Amino acid sequence: MLFLSRPLTIVCSSLLLCASMPSAYAALTISHTRIVHESAKRSASVIVANPSKTAYAAQAWVNTEADDATTAVPLIASPGLFRLDPGNEQTVQINALPNDLPQDRESLFYFNLQEIPQANADTQQNVLNIALRTRIKLLYRPSHLKGRPEDWLKDLAWSVQLIAGKPHLVVDNPSPYHFTFNRLVISGAGASETITAHDMALPLSRQAYALERVSATKGLQVDFSTINDYSGITAERSSPVQLQ
């Protein structure tokens, strides 16, 4: 899944507030919507392309989900700063440093790409150039983990539980993998609810999703699909939901 954060950096040709705004969509594209870095490999890579008609400077880096600039991460994007002319591409490698990351599960990071349009020295107008940033998930995966992520989907355990007095769909993930749900629907007793699952099911953890229309009742089931390593969609599965 792609995250666009704007504005992050603002470059002005004047201190006046008069500005011409660029498109709300990033001009540079990334070849993946997620990156999986196997621990046995020295690096992973993505291709950044510029299909636009404008030259851009680009900055690439890796950080944590907290999106801060202070937490040290054992992954470095190289090159970290480069120029992309119209129609050109740049391969960015993510190199792993020696680390003590957990070996029994994946670790989640984010790859960031910030684009900065080049200032037009010929214009006489006051122009506000906004640097757009794209964030995609970067999963650091110990190579010795057993099975493929999709092999573990059958082991997800679903239940409806009251949390703070309100019903929630709860998924227990016994696997070492992160799961992003593309589609998640709970149904039963004549009711159905599609859940917008912004939060992933974290490895060896529990995740809860608030329910608005479906209450705790017998005979519930979930139908779900997830996003795989290649940004594709897994086959839809159905699983019973327990009451707790």
Side-chain angles (χ1 to χ4, degrees):
M1 186 175 293
L2 288 172
F3 298 88
L4 294 182
S5 176
R6 52 166 175 43
L8 180 68
T9 301
I10 300 178
V11 182
C12 299
S13 62
S14 171
L15 292 179
L16 296 177
L17 295 179
C18 180
S20 60
M21 303 297 290
S23 168
Y25 299 99
L28 304 183
T29 64
I30 305 176
S31 57
H32 300 62
T33 60
R34 59 176 51 204
I35 304 168
V36 177
H37 192 311
E38 299 276 356
S39 65
K41 298 180 180 179
R42 301 182 66 176
S43 66
S45 63
V46 294
I47 297 174
V48 179
N50 181 7
S52 77
K53 297 180 180 180
T54 304
Y56 283 85
Q59 185 177 8
W61 72 97
V62 178
N63 65 3
T64 65
E65 186 175 13
D67 197 18
D68 60 28
T70 57
T71 304
V73 296
L75 299 165
I76 296 179
S78 178
L81 184 65
F82 53 92
R83 172 189 168 96
L84 260 186
D85 290 323
N88 285 5
E89 296 181 345
Q90 172 69 52
T91 297
V92 178
Q93 288 192 324
I94 296 93
N95 302 303
L97 301 175
N99 61 76
D100 57 356
L101 293 173
Q103 294 300 300
D104 63 343
R105 71 194 72 184
E106 294 177 324
S107 295
L108 174 66
F109 298 94
Y110 281 83
F111 173 79
N112 300 265
L113 180 71
Q114 180 172 294
E115 60 185 48
I116 306 173
Q118 301 298 287
N120 188 348
D122 296 330
T123 182
Q124 300 299 316
Q125 297 178 343
N126 297 315
V127 177
L128 179 68
N129 289 326
I130 298 182
L132 301 186
R133 179 169 58 128
T134 302
R135 294 189 90 204
I136 62 174
K137 295 183 179 74
L138 195 170
L139 297 170
Y140 184 83
R141 179 178 295 168
S143 298
H144 63 267
L145 295 182
K146 294 182 179 179
R148 303 173 302 165
E150 50 265 39
D151 295 335
W152 287 84
L153 292 176
K154 64 182 185 302
D155 297 308
L156 297 179
W158 302 88
S159 61
V160 170
Q161 302 181 28
L162 289 179
I163 300 176
K166 297 182 179 180
H168 286 69
L169 176 64
V170 176
V171 56
D172 287 286
N173 179 10
S175 84
Y177 299 105
H178 293 76
F179 292 114
T180 299
F181 295 105
N182 175 69
R183 183 173 183 267
L184 180 58
V185 179
I186 182 171
S187 58
S192 177
E193 183 171 345
T194 298
I195 298 167
T196 303
H198 294 296
D199 295 321
M200 292 184 293
L202 304 180
L204 306 176
S205 298
R206 168 177 288 187
Q207 181 63 52
Y209 305 101
L211 295 175
E212 301 294 337
R213 295 189 299 275
V214 173
S215 58
T217 185
K218 293 182 178 180
L220 293 174
Q221 74 168 35
V222 291
D223 300 290
F224 67 94
S225 59
T226 62
I227 300 175
N228 64 23
D229 286 351
Y230 309 100
S231 305
I233 308 302
T234 62
E236 188 162 296
R237 301 183 62 93
S238 297
S239 296
V241 176
Q242 305 299 319
L243 300 181
Q244 293 187 10

